[in-house]
Amino acid sequence: MRPQRLRPQLKRDPLDGAPPPILLSVLTQSSQVKARTVLVIHGAGEPRRRGSKVYWEPMLQKDLRPEFRVRAPRMPQPDDPEYRRWARRIEQLIAGTARPVLVGHSFGASVLLKYLAETTPRPPLAGVFLIATPFWGPDFPEFALPPDFGARLRDVSPLCMYHTRDDGEVPLDHLERYRRSLPQVFVRVLDGRGHEFNQAHFPELVADIRQLAVERAV
């Protein structure tokens, strides 16, 4: 019988005269080449969906198109997450993607940080944007960051973190712990978003991706 490990208790986490065919093909290929990938790692628990997609994808895609292509895949066994499985999946998703923008929510954000802190060499990225990120202490060694994570991540930029004062699952002081160890982090403290950020639009995140990630795109 496999021993039961301590698990982070997070709720479900909860976008006449048609041109000749050859011209259409050229335009389509061109837009695909220019579109930068935004990869979203959702939180623990079966992710909420809009239609058939994890809600982060339609929420962001409609405001980031056409310069960005948003992907929000379902992560392995989200109701009983294991760091190694999620890290392997993140590695697979990043592989072959040119300088992606990484977005993480809740447990997914903490896994992204741990993956980036422990991966050598780190893949080139256009930016890291983390929402409602829990800070795991020694009670959760599987998910906790290495003690020197601030030094390991000091070259990750742009690095942005978002938290809402009414988050009922991850207290605001978790954000402060990250801010003390990551001097380069850009922080936005918001109101009225809850833990899920399950909203029609996320204008602050969209604006920051457009400005900060594009500056690092070259």
Side-chain angles (χ1 to χ4, degrees):
M1 180 176 176
R2 183 177 180 181
Q4 185 176 5
R5 294 177 298 166
L6 285 171
R7 286 293 181 195
Q9 298 301 309
L10 295 180
K11 299 178 183 177
R12 292 184 178 181
D13 275 328
L15 193 58
D16 169 44
I22 186 170
L23 177 59
L24 282 175
S25 175
V26 170
L27 290 174
T28 300
Q29 292 175 7
S30 175
S31 64
Q32 288 175 347
V33 169
K34 292 180 180 179
R36 183 167 300 279
T37 297
V38 176
L39 177 61
V40 184
I41 306 301
H42 65 76
E46 192 63 41
R48 287 181 170 86
R49 295 180 179 273
R50 291 180 186 169
S52 60
K53 298 180 178 180
V54 174
Y55 73 93
W56 285 95
E57 184 173 330
M59 179 175 69
L60 296 177
Q61 184 64 76
K62 60 188 175 185
D63 293 327
L64 283 172
R65 69 162 61 102
E67 296 92 341
F68 297 88
R69 179 176 67 98
V70 180
R71 299 178 61 198
R74 180 183 180 274
M75 297 300 288
Q77 296 182 315
D79 286 320
D80 186 24
E82 294 183 8
Y83 171 72
R84 289 183 181 179
R85 288 192 178 193
W86 281 47
R88 283 197 299 267
R89 182 60 176 142
I90 290 169
E91 184 177 35
Q92 293 168 356
L93 291 167
I94 292 176
T97 304
R99 296 179 62 83
V101 176
L102 299 183
V103 176
H105 173 241
S106 189
F107 177 75
S110 66
V111 170
L112 268 180
L113 265 187
K114 184 175 174 69
Y115 169 79
L116 294 174
E118 296 182 348
T119 299
T120 305
R122 186 183 305 128
L125 306 170
V128 181
F129 301 81
L130 307 174
I131 302 105
T133 312
F135 192 104
W136 303 115
D139 289 342
F140 299 98
E142 180 183 358
F143 308 114
L145 288 162
D148 61 342
F149 76 91
R152 296 190 190 197
L153 296 170
R154 63 176 176 268
D155 61 332
V156 174
S157 179
L159 173 61
C160 305
M161 302 189 84
Y162 307 79
H163 218 100
T164 182
R165 292 183 179 90
D166 64 328
D167 190 323
E169 296 193 30
V170 180
L172 191 60
D173 69 285
H174 287 224
L175 176 64
E176 294 304 320
R177 296 178 71 175
Y178 283 118
R179 179 150 48 182
R180 288 194 295 267
S181 298
L182 298 166
Q184 82 274 27
V185 69
F186 174 75
V187 168
R188 287 191 186 274
V189 179
L190 306 169
D191 292 294
R193 311 298 177 89
H195 179 69
E196 298 290 345
F197 283 74
N198 187 10
Q199 53 204 37
H201 301 273
F202 197 156
E204 299 87 356
L205 176 59
V206 167
D208 292 340
I209 289 176
R210 283 192 175 281
Q211 178 182 349
L212 300 175
V214 167
E215 288 176 357
R216 302 278 174 164
V218 179

